[in-house]
Amino acid sequence: MATQEDVARLAGVSFITVSRVINSKDNVKEETKKRVLKAIKELNYYPNSLGRALNNNRVFTLGAVSPLFQGYSLESDLYFAKILSGIEKMCFEKGYDLLISTKRQSSKDFNYFRLFYQRKVDGIIFMGANLTSHHIEEIKNNHIPCCIISDNPNSSAIGYIDADNKNGTKEAVIRLLNLGHKKIAFLGITEKNQNIEERYKSFIATLKEHQIPFPKSYLILGDYSEQSGEQAIEYLCKLKNKPTALFCSTDSMAYGALKGAKKRRIKVPDQLSIIGFDGFEIGKYIDPDLATVKQPLNDMGYKAAQMLIERIEQPDQSKEKQLSFAKVIFPVIQVEGRSIGTYKGIDQ
Amino acid sequence: MATQEDVARLAGVSFITVSRVINSKDNVKEETKKRVLKAIKELNYYPNSLGRALNNNRVFTLGAVSPLFQGYSLESDLYFAKILSGIEKMCFEKGYDLLISTKRQSSKDFNYFRLFYQRKVDGIIFMGANLTSHHIEEIKNNHIPCCIISDNPNSSAIGYIDADNKNGTKEAVIRLLNLGHKKIAFLGITEKNQNIEERYKSFIATLKEHQIPFPKSYLILGDYSEQSGEQAIEYLCKLKNKPTALFCSTDSMAYGALKGAKKRRIKVPDQLSIIGFDGFEIGKYIDPDLATVKQPLNDMGYKAAQMLIERIEQPDQSKEKQLSFAKVIFPVIQVEGRSIGTYKGIDQ
DNA sequence: TTGTAGGCGTTATCAC
DNA sequence: GTGATAACGCCTACAA
């Protein structure tokens, strides 16, 4: 593969002139430049990014860490793919490449920052990675440019992007209230999860605001899976005081709930309204199609990459500036669907 | 960030000894090794991959080119995500990282091999990239280790992985024949596509083998979209001699066909059997769930990465060896689904 | 078993 | 406007 030296020889200049042309410095005579450019083309020369990076300490590559490739479920695949799509778009626009890395649930000793320490990437975007305060410390101490999506790091040393779970939930609940529902159950998850907790809190707060009671029996806990959605329906069937609507904290569980309702011959939405949260297009394929709350995952990834690149390219690396990371909360979109409607009673 | 030199100083050895420890050469005294290892840990030292790569001309990174992040459709997202998942798994096992690159439909001047020429990757896996013979020439001439998925390059200079479209189609058709179908329509696509053509050929051949006629009117052309699936149903409704089964060359169109059938109140499978090809899990969410043919996308990606890495690490780089790329065709899986069954007539 | 010199391809700095 | 030199971090010879 051709090097600067080869190009220089062919063009009859020194290699440093070639370097100047490549980096479009202005102190090269127009004619020399042309000669060099011609030689570059002739030799199919590409600057070796390694030599380059070794010098300016910049590889023009971002890292994206996610559990994407574990293939937990269709939904998680889509979730991370959408975010990655946004990240990739910004990378493309800014001339960065994108390295993806998988946090495997199994390997306890996953090294979160290896790619950075090895100088394979200039910064890292984390999603679903469960950073601990210990990790945040490491980021601070070693000035690792990082951005996290959908999991508040509570530190200005790291960028933070999220969807507006609070308002998204509130508006979704209001949709149900406007349809006349007064008995709404909530399907959350057992596992600790900031986002779902936020949704739950907002759910409760909104009910309270509208003086709607929430009996303890209306709180159900699942595990993201479809099965847990089905089980939720089984559980509701056993209740004496049955709810007329079910707020599922994730789409995946909502799919299960719809399935469970079909099995039990519960008419959706006449006898039970079901609403989800996440906004995967899968909902469109189901009958009735799922009403849900859509996170702008693409935009979130796009913005995360933008923040990160800005931080990386920030010339002033003083301590103060390093703490200037922004926090961006994206509004969510209420998605229409025939899985919610007015309650028409059980005896149809 | 610490360098070999820093580690060496702390351990009281020369930096070359550090290098030896890192690369686990055996000519280092056990005790020295321990001291070095301790220093490495203390300084949180990681070998700089750039310096390393500059020397041994290997970056331990694979590139994967796909139109994934264009987000054409849910199905294409899943398709490429599944393959990437397999690629990533093998990369992980072999200690490689994975760089992803998007071939944008819009940008005509996409440089297929940039990542390689820049030494950012050691080899590239292409999917849905539409390599031309001109590209194949470039691969040959510049000895670029490449692997292509699902698009026969017809050249041993490049690895080739595919699903067994031929037998997959044949078996699927036989499933329909076994259900008693004798009038089967085929929904293909207008665009030129090797895979779909293979499926069509095998479809026709299998019918012929079983002496089943295929009237020209039974060939419908779509464009992958759901709409074209719906339109296919509209078209079939107008036929005098209606088929009892529809073979869709992609799942995406099958989803549309199911939707179209529902709209037209055609009972599936009693009045029309519908079968797809690709095997996305989305089919499970639809009612009735889609019978289809599943490509082992994960395995295909996994194998592609394996072939590529083997080729990269092959010590003998003689011309002959370079042409030793394998071609691997994966068997497909017939997925059960209630969208196919025996024909029960139109007057129910 | 350990150390020295040179080079991988690039760019920054300084000189002409 | 152009060129020489040193440096980035590492590794492969060769030498001790």
Side-chain angles (χ1 to χ4, degrees):
Chain A
M1 231 136 36
T3 68
Q4 275 189 358
E5 196 110 22
D6 300 326
V7 176
R9 210 173 306 125
L10 186 62
V13 295
S14 99
F15 66 89
I16 190 63
T17 305
V18 178
S19 173
R20 286 199 181 108
V21 170
I22 289 162
N23 295 291
S24 42
K25 309 272 184 187
D26 42 0
N27 49 353
V28 180
K29 217 199 289 180
E30 197 55 38
E31 191 229 308
T32 323
K33 194 170 167 180
K34 261 185 199 157
R35 265 213 326 279
V36 171
L37 252 22
K38 187 165 164 252
I40 286 179
K41 197 158 190 185
E42 206 160 311
L43 294 172
N44 192 31
Y45 164 79
Y46 282 77
N48 183 323
S49 70
L50 303 170
R52 202 168 221 184
L54 208 48
N55 271 283
N56 49 25
N57 214 23
R58 187 80 64 72
V59 287
F60 291 98
T61 307
L62 251 43
V65 173
S66 76
L68 166 58
F69 296 116
Q70 290 284 70
Y72 292 139
S73 67
L74 194 59
E75 294 83 28
S76 77
D77 278 4
L78 284 172
Y79 180 86
F80 294 114
K82 291 274 176 216
I83 297 179
L84 274 177
S85 168
I87 295 175
E88 198 275 342
K89 184 153 180 262
M90 176 54 75
C91 283
F92 175 74
E93 285 173 16
K94 297 281 187 181
Y96 278 67
D97 286 309
L98 181 57
L99 201 55
I100 55 180
S101 171
T102 298
K103 183 187 175 301
R104 292 182 155 68
Q105 221 172 19
S106 52
S107 76
K108 271 257 173 190
D109 54 340
F110 177 75
N111 192 321
Y112 287 75
F113 311 116
R114 190 202 97 224
L115 290 172
F116 178 77
Y117 290 139
Q118 287 186 157
R119 308 295 321 125
K120 277 200 155 189
V121 303
D122 298 317
I124 307 178
I125 295 172
F126 290 100
M127 348 167 205
N130 270 318
L131 294 202
T132 64
S133 58
H134 177 264
H135 290 127
I136 308 278
E137 272 311 302
E138 192 167 347
I139 289 171
K140 259 190 225 167
N141 294 336
N142 299 347
H143 310 311
I144 311 174
C146 286
C147 216
I148 194 163
I149 293 179
S150 197
D151 192 11
N152 199 339
N154 292 312
S155 163
S156 55
I158 182 167
Y160 168 46
I161 303 277
D162 210 340
D164 194 342
N165 288 294
K166 191 177 162 187
N167 278 310
T169 302
K170 184 175 175 173
E171 284 163 27
V173 171
I174 290 177
R175 282 163 79 186
L176 293 174
L177 297 179
N178 286 344
L179 286 168
H181 294 282
K182 291 189 167 22
K183 302 197 284 180
I184 311 175
F186 185 92
L187 175 51
I189 57 161
T190 316
E191 197 185 290
K192 196 170 165 53
N193 177 307
Q194 265 186 26
N195 282 283
I196 311 285
E197 276 166 30
E198 256 184 90
R199 292 172 199 172
Y200 179 61
K201 274 186 199 157
S202 173
F203 174 84
I204 294 295
T206 309
L207 288 190
K208 199 169 240 171
E209 254 176 54
H210 292 79
Q211 282 105 34
I212 306 285
F214 183 71
K216 279 221 172 96
S217 59
Y218 279 12
L219 175 60
I220 320 164
L221 295 180
D223 62 359
Y224 302 106
S225 74
E226 270 191 81
Q227 280 105 309
S228 59
E230 286 193 56
Q231 282 157 12
I233 295 293
E234 292 303 315
Y235 167 83
L236 291 182
C237 284
K238 285 181 205 135
L239 285 186
K240 270 177 202 147
N241 180 23
K242 291 183 182 48
T244 62
L246 173 62
F247 185 107
C248 301
S249 59
T250 72
D251 269 10
S252 50
M253 295 193 290
Y255 304 148
L258 283 169
K259 207 171 178 180
K262 192 167 270 175
K263 263 191 197 162
R264 280 283 193 164
R265 293 178 194 280
I266 297 167
K267 283 187 188 149
V268 176
D270 295 354
Q271 297 174 332
L272 180 68
S273 282
I274 295 178
I275 192 164
F277 203 112
D278 278 336
F280 298 123
E281 286 151 90
I282 301 171
K284 288 191 313 193
Y285 292 101
I286 300 176
D287 189 30
D289 56 328
L290 183 67
T292 182
V293 182
K294 185 175 177 177
Q295 301 189 52
L297 299 173
N298 243 282
D299 299 342
M300 287 161 67
Y302 188 75
K303 185 68 192 174
Q306 187 187 38
M307 274 172 62
L308 192 54
I309 291 172
E310 263 171 23
R311 165 74 182 74
I312 289 165
E313 297 189 340
Q314 185 177 282
D316 181 359
Q317 298 283 355
S318 69
K319 284 260 163 170
E320 296 73 40
K321 284 278 178 183
Q322 279 182 23
L323 300 178
S324 69
F325 251 130
K327 160 180 156 173
V328 181
I329 305 297
F330 279 81
V332 296
I333 300 124
Q334 299 293 324
V335 178
E336 308 262 340
R338 285 165 302 165
S339 68
I340 61 171
T342 55
Y343 179 66
K344 302 210 174 125
I346 50 164
D347 45 354
Q348 300 181 53
Chain B
M1 233 135 38
T3 68
Q4 274 188 358
E5 197 113 20
D6 300 326
V7 176
R9 211 174 306 125
L10 185 62
V13 295
S14 99
F15 68 88
I16 189 63
T17 306
V18 178
S19 172
R20 285 195 181 112
V21 170
I22 289 162
N23 296 291
S24 42
K25 309 271 183 184
D26 43 0
N27 49 354
V28 180
K29 217 199 289 179
E30 197 55 39
E31 192 228 306
T32 322
K33 194 172 169 180
K34 261 186 199 157
R35 264 210 330 276
V36 171
L37 251 21
K38 189 167 161 249
I40 286 179
K41 197 159 191 186
E42 206 159 312
L43 293 173
N44 191 31
Y45 166 79
Y46 282 77
N48 182 321
S49 70
L50 304 170
R52 201 170 222 184
L54 210 47
N55 272 282
N56 49 25
N57 215 24
R58 186 80 64 71
V59 286
F60 291 97
T61 306
L62 251 44
V65 174
S66 76
L68 166 58
F69 296 115
Q70 290 285 70
Y72 292 138
S73 67
L74 194 59
E75 294 82 28
S76 77
D77 278 3
L78 284 172
Y79 180 85
F80 295 114
K82 292 273 176 219
I83 297 179
L84 274 177
S85 168
I87 295 176
E88 198 275 342
K89 184 154 181 262
M90 177 53 76
C91 283
F92 175 74
E93 286 173 17
K94 297 280 189 183
Y96 278 67
D97 287 309
L98 181 57
L99 201 54
I100 55 179
S101 172
T102 298
K103 183 188 176 300
R104 294 183 154 67
Q105 221 173 19
S106 53
S107 76
K108 271 259 176 187
D109 54 341
F110 176 76
N111 192 322
Y112 288 74
F113 312 116
R114 192 202 94 227
L115 290 172
F116 178 77
Y117 290 140
Q118 290 185 338
R119 307 297 318 126
K120 277 200 155 189
V121 302
D122 299 317
I124 307 178
I125 295 172
F126 291 99
M127 347 167 206
N130 270 319
L131 294 201
T132 64
S133 59
H134 176 264
H135 290 127
I136 308 275
E137 272 310 302
E138 192 167 347
I139 289 171
K140 260 190 225 167
N141 295 335
N142 300 347
H143 310 312
I144 311 174
C146 286
C147 217
I148 195 163
I149 292 178
S150 196
D151 192 12
N152 198 338
N154 292 312
S155 162
S156 54
I158 182 168
Y160 168 45
I161 303 277
D162 210 339
D164 193 341
N165 288 295
K166 190 177 163 190
N167 278 310
T169 301
K170 182 173 177 176
E171 285 162 25
V173 171
I174 290 177
R175 281 163 79 185
L176 293 174
L177 297 180
N178 286 344
L179 287 166
H181 293 281
K182 290 187 168 22
K183 302 198 285 180
I184 311 175
F186 185 91
L187 175 51
I189 57 162
T190 315
E191 198 185 291
K192 196 169 165 55
N193 177 308
Q194 266 187 24
N195 282 283
I196 310 286
E197 275 166 31
E198 254 185 271
R199 292 172 199 172
Y200 179 61
K201 274 185 199 157
S202 174
F203 174 86
I204 294 295
T206 309
L207 288 190
K208 199 168 240 172
E209 253 176 56
H210 292 80
Q211 281 105 35
I212 306 284
F214 181 71
K216 279 223 172 96
S217 59
Y218 280 11
L219 174 60
I220 319 164
L221 294 180
D223 62 359
Y224 300 106
S225 74
E226 270 191 81
Q227 280 104 309
S228 58
E230 286 193 55
Q231 283 158 11
I233 295 293
E234 291 303 314
Y235 168 83
L236 291 182
C237 284
K238 284 181 207 135
L239 286 186
K240 270 178 202 146
N241 179 25
K242 290 184 181 49
T244 62
L246 174 62
F247 185 107
C248 301
S249 59
T250 72
D251 270 9
S252 51
M253 295 193 290
Y255 304 148
L258 282 169
K259 206 171 178 178
K262 192 168 269 174
K263 262 192 200 162
R264 280 283 192 163
R265 293 179 194 278
I266 297 167
K267 283 187 187 150
V268 176
D270 295 355
Q271 297 174 333
L272 180 68
S273 282
I274 295 179
I275 192 164
F277 204 111
D278 277 338
F280 297 123
E281 287 151 89
I282 301 171
K284 289 193 313 194
Y285 292 100
I286 300 175
D287 190 29
D289 55 329
L290 183 68
T292 182
V293 182
K294 186 174 176 177
Q295 301 190 52
L297 299 174
N298 243 283
D299 299 342
M300 287 161 68
Y302 188 76
K303 185 68 192 172
Q306 187 188 37
M307 273 172 62
L308 193 54
I309 291 173
E310 263 171 23
R311 164 75 183 72
I312 290 166
E313 296 189 340
Q314 185 177 282
D316 181 359
Q317 298 283 356
S318 69
K319 284 260 164 176
E320 296 74 39
K321 284 276 177 181
Q322 280 181 21
L323 300 178
S324 71
F325 252 129
K327 158 181 159 174
V328 182
I329 305 297
F330 278 82
V332 296
I333 300 124
Q334 300 292 324
V335 178
E336 307 262 342
R338 284 165 302 165
S339 68
I340 60 171
T342 54
Y343 178 66
K344 303 210 174 122
I346 50 164
D347 45 354
Q348 299 182 52

